[in-house]
Amino acid sequence: MLSAYPGWLEQVERDSNFAGYEVEDNMPSFYRQMKQLLTYPMAWENTTGKSFGQWREEARNKLLECMQPAPPAAPYDMKVIDSEKRDGYVVQKIVFNLSEWYRVPAYLLVPDGKGPFPGVLLLHDHGAHFTIGKEKMVRPFHVSETIMKDADNWSVVCYDGQYVGDYLAKNGYVVLVVDALFWGERGRKEYARYDSQQALAANMLQMGMNWGSLIAWDDIRSAEFLASLPQVDKEKVGTMGFSMGAHRAWMTAAATDAVKAGAAVCWMNTTDSLMTLTNNQNKGGSAYSMLIPGIRNYMDYPHVASVACPKPMLFINGLKDKLFPVEGVKEAYRIMQGVWESQSVPDRFQTKLYDLPHFCSKDIQRDILEFFNKEFNYTHTGK
C-alpha cells in the first residue's frame, strides 16, 4: 500500500529534518533570500535607453503612485493665532489646512526686514518621543511648563542645546515647522505610547491609506505652502531634518520641485545594510512612519533620494551612529554620487561624516546654514 505513494520515504526524511521556528529577532529566517529579490529595476544605475529627465519623471511618478491615495487638498487658509518677537525675527503660531480633512498647527518664523527671504521647511525627528513635534525645532512660547522643559531638554539631547529653527531665522531664513501626525498637537489626547504608532499604522492600512505616505504628502504640501508665502523667495526653498526628519527632508526634495535644495542629517543607508538581525530598523514600530508600500520593489533609499538630482543636496551622518551602519551610509553615498556625476553636477552633491553618534551638533547646523547660504547665493544683512 505504501508503494502507491512514490517518494514517500524521501518525504519522511525531509520532514524529520524540519527545523521549525521561522522567525528570529522579528525577521523571517529567509530574509536573506528576500533581499536577493531586491534588484531595484527603476534605479537610475539600472536604467537604459532613457534620458535622465525621462527616468526622473517616471521614478517620481512611481514614488507618488506607491504613496496613493493622497488626502484631498484644500486651500491653505492660514491664520496667525499667536506671535512672539525675538532677536532679529518673529515667531508666529499659525494654523492652516494641509487637506480637506485636517487643519494643523505650525510655527512660522519670519526675519526682520524686507523680504522676500529664502525659506526652510524644518522637519522634526521621531526619537520615540511624541509629546512634542515642532517644539523640537523651535523654542515654544505660551506653553505649559511641562512642554517648555520637554522642549529644552530635547534641544540638548539631539541638537546640542540649540533650536535649529531659531538659529536659521536669526540668520535670515523664513522657517516653517509642522507637527507630523502623532506628534505634539497632532498626537493622542491620551499619553502617546510607543506601541500606539503600530496600531495607528495598522488602522490606516485597514482603510486603504498608509501612515508614512500621509506624512510624506503633508511634507510635500507644507513645502508648497512655504513657497507660496509672500515673505519667501520661491526659488530659494530648502528642506532640513535630523533622523526621521532627514528621511522626510530628502523624500520631500525628491517628491516636489517646490524644494530647491535639501540637507539631511543622520538618515541615509541601504536596505541591505539596515535589514539585518541586529539593526534597530527590524523592531518595526517606528519604521511605519517612514514606510512607503511597495517602493522597495522598484528603488532603494538612495535611488529615491536621487530623484532630487540635480538639486543641491547635503547628506551628513555620524561614524558612531549605531542606527545607520557606516558601510551602508558609504554605499548609499556612492550610489547617489554616481547619479549627480552622471548629470555633470558633482559639486551639487555633498556628504560629510562626523565622528559623532546619532546627533545634530552646532557644528553640523553651521555647516547646513553655510550650505544653504552658498547654494542660494544669500547673505543675511540683518536689515
Side-chain angles (χ1 to χ4, degrees):
M1 186 172 180
L2 290 175
S3 62
Y5 300 93
W8 70 271
L9 183 59
E10 291 84 355
Q11 184 64 52
V12 168
E13 290 176 348
R14 284 197 296 271
D15 288 347
S16 66
N17 292 325
F18 172 62
Y21 304 112
E22 293 187 51
V23 176
E24 181 182 357
D25 290 334
N26 301 323
M27 294 281 279
S29 61
F30 44 87
Y31 76 95
R32 294 178 182 84
Q33 292 92 321
M34 293 177 68
K35 289 201 291 185
Q36 289 175 2
L37 296 179
L38 300 177
T39 57
Y40 309 119
M42 288 195 71
W44 169 243
E45 62 188 21
N46 295 328
T47 300
T48 57
K50 295 179 182 177
S51 69
F52 184 77
Q54 289 175 311
W55 169 80
R56 189 173 185 267
E57 181 179 4
E58 291 179 9
R60 175 180 284 175
N61 287 341
K62 178 58 67 176
L63 173 64
L64 298 181
E65 176 188 316
C66 290
M67 288 165 50
Q68 294 293 336
Y76 299 121
D77 188 24
M78 183 195 91
K79 303 293 183 185
V80 178
I81 60 175
D82 202 356
S83 66
E84 180 175 271
K85 181 69 179 74
R86 296 184 182 171
D87 183 15
Y89 59 100
V90 174
V91 183
Q92 297 176 337
K93 176 78 175 289
I94 66 171
V95 291
F96 69 104
N97 297 324
L98 268 182
S99 84
E100 287 183 4
W101 296 344
Y102 41 88
R103 191 164 172 79
V104 302
Y107 283 141
L108 180 67
L109 288 65
V110 182
D112 295 344
K114 184 179 179 180
F117 304 98
V120 175
L121 175 65
L122 278 186
L123 300 157
H124 67 73
D125 59 78
H126 185 294
H129 191 77
F130 312 109
T131 50
I132 53 175
K134 60 188 178 297
E135 298 84 3
K136 295 178 176 182
M137 312 300 286
V138 173
R139 192 172 192 273
F141 64 103
H142 299 163
V143 296
S144 69
E145 183 180 354
T146 299
I147 293 296
M148 193 71 250
K149 288 182 177 179
D150 195 1
D152 281 342
N153 179 68
W154 200 255
S155 76
V156 172
V157 170
C158 292
Y159 299 98
D160 211 0
Q162 180 166 266
Y163 286 94
V164 185
D166 293 81
Y167 174 66
L168 291 174
K170 191 170 184 178
N171 282 280
Y173 284 77
V174 174
V175 175
L176 176 68
V177 192
V178 185
D179 288 328
L181 182 64
F182 200 72
W183 279 266
E185 293 181 270
R186 297 184 69 193
R188 285 169 50 107
K189 293 180 180 179
E190 312 86 357
Y191 180 73
R193 302 189 309 270
Y194 182 85
D195 58 355
S196 297
Q197 59 185 329
Q198 293 172 287
L200 172 66
N203 291 335
M204 292 184 69
L205 286 169
Q206 293 275 23
M207 294 181 283
M209 189 170 282
N210 170 253
W211 182 29
S213 297
L214 182 137
I215 290 173
W217 283 117
D218 284 355
D219 293 341
I220 291 168
R221 290 177 181 165
S222 294
E224 293 168 351
F225 166 69
L226 177 62
S228 75
L229 295 175
Q231 310 98 314
V232 175
D233 183 341
K234 67 179 181 180
E235 297 303 318
K236 297 179 179 180
V237 174
T239 55
M240 182 269 167
F242 162 68
S243 195
M244 180 184 79
H247 181 282
R248 297 167 65 193
W250 56 254
M251 273 284 292
T252 311
T256 175
D257 285 333
V259 174
K260 307 303 182 183
V265 182
C266 292
W267 212 119
M268 177 48 68
N269 221 272
T270 64
T271 297
D272 184 63
S273 182
L274 291 179
M275 297 315 297
T276 66
L277 294 178
T278 57
N279 189 266
N280 185 68
Q281 191 85 346
N282 76 20
K283 294 178 182 178
S286 297
Y288 279 111
S289 60
M290 292 162 275
L291 286 177
I292 308 299
I295 194 63
R296 291 288 83 76
N297 294 317
Y298 305 99
M299 294 177 282
D300 201 0
Y301 299 111
H303 306 137
V304 172
S306 294
V307 177
C309 181
K311 301 174 187 179
M313 296 293 293
L314 171 62
F315 289 86
I316 296 173
N317 277 79
L319 292 170
K320 297 177 181 177
D321 190 336
K322 296 180 180 179
L323 298 179
F324 296 96
V326 69
E327 295 81 6
V329 171
K330 291 179 178 179
E331 175 61 13
Y333 285 0
R334 183 197 66 78
I335 291 169
M336 292 187 291
Q337 184 71 60
V339 177
W340 268 258
E341 286 179 351
S342 76
Q343 301 310 300
S344 302
V345 286
D347 57 318
R348 294 187 185 176
F349 179 78
Q350 300 179 39
T351 64
K352 292 191 176 184
L353 289 170
Y354 272 78
D355 191 27
L356 290 172
H358 199 66
F359 189 62
C360 186
S361 69
K362 288 180 181 178
D363 287 342
I364 289 174
Q365 293 173 48
R366 185 187 64 249
D367 284 348
I368 290 167
L369 175 64
E370 292 175 354
F371 165 77
F372 283 132
N373 284 345
K374 177 178 179 294
E375 298 302 335
F376 291 154
N377 191 26
Y378 179 63
T379 301
H380 178 50
T381 61
K383 299 179 180 179

